[in-house]
Amino acid sequence: MASYLGENEPAGSLAFWERKIGPFYDAAALFHIAALDLSEVEVCEKWGDVIAVAIKGLEYKLYPGFQFGPNGELLPGLRRVICILRPGLVDNWDISLWLNHHTMLFNGESATALLRQGRIDAVLDAASQDLARWNPKAASGQCGASN
């Protein structure tokens, strides 16, 4: 297990998570990357257009970089994916891992890559199937069709 995590890299550290899901931004960086001020970031987070995570020892939230395109655009379909996965996963860390896991279901690509390619329905179908396995009662719930 130590070689998987890294000899000196504790599970849950920022370095550990950066290896799993990529770089992180704080709210100030999002202003430069996506032209979002703090109140806009909070609204995006509330509606599921942006994922925020907490790191033990930090007093502020971080935003995984995978959800922003090269010009700061938001990841298409993210709100709908979060809506589906939320009842079956513990938190935004789990959702981020699910989105970034390379799987044979997507021919070795991640859900994030498919969303960027516009293959939103394939990701939504996979998310619904996973939720049905994890939490069958929650799988009957409905999500809005926006985003």
Side-chain angles (χ1 to χ4, degrees):
M1 182 88 167
S3 62
Y4 175 74
L5 297 176
E7 296 279 335
N8 298 315
E9 189 177 283
S13 71
L14 185 56
F16 171 85
W17 288 112
E18 283 180 332
R19 282 193 328 106
K20 300 291 179 198
I21 60 176
F24 294 88
Y25 304 117
D26 62 14
L30 289 187
F31 182 75
H32 297 289
I33 293 165
L36 296 171
D37 67 27
L38 184 56
S39 64
E40 292 169 321
V41 170
E42 289 171 350
V43 169
C44 286
E45 182 184 342
K46 175 184 174 185
W47 288 102
D49 295 320
V50 171
I51 294 175
V53 295
I55 299 276
K56 187 175 180 179
L58 289 183
E59 296 178 15
Y60 52 89
K61 297 175 188 174
L62 294 176
Y63 303 88
F66 72 82
Q67 59 192 330
F68 303 98
N71 298 313
E73 64 274 11
L74 301 177
L75 186 62
L78 184 60
R79 178 188 299 186
R80 292 171 62 196
V81 174
I82 290 172
C83 182
I84 292 169
L85 291 176
R86 175 86 54 217
L89 295 173
V90 174
D91 59 21
N92 286 346
W93 287 111
D94 289 336
I95 292 171
S96 295
L97 287 170
W98 188 92
L99 286 162
N100 286 283
H101 176 72
H102 293 260
T103 174
M104 292 312 298
L105 179 64
F106 300 140
N107 295 320
E109 294 190 80
S110 67
T112 299
L114 267 67
L115 292 173
R116 288 200 194 296
Q117 297 165 15
R119 297 172 55 198
I120 296 170
D121 287 340
V123 175
L124 296 175
D125 288 344
S128 294
Q129 290 172 19
D130 281 348
L131 177 62
R133 279 193 301 276
W134 301 327
N135 189 345
K137 289 182 184 178
S140 63
Q142 294 192 355
C143 292
S146 63
N147 190 359

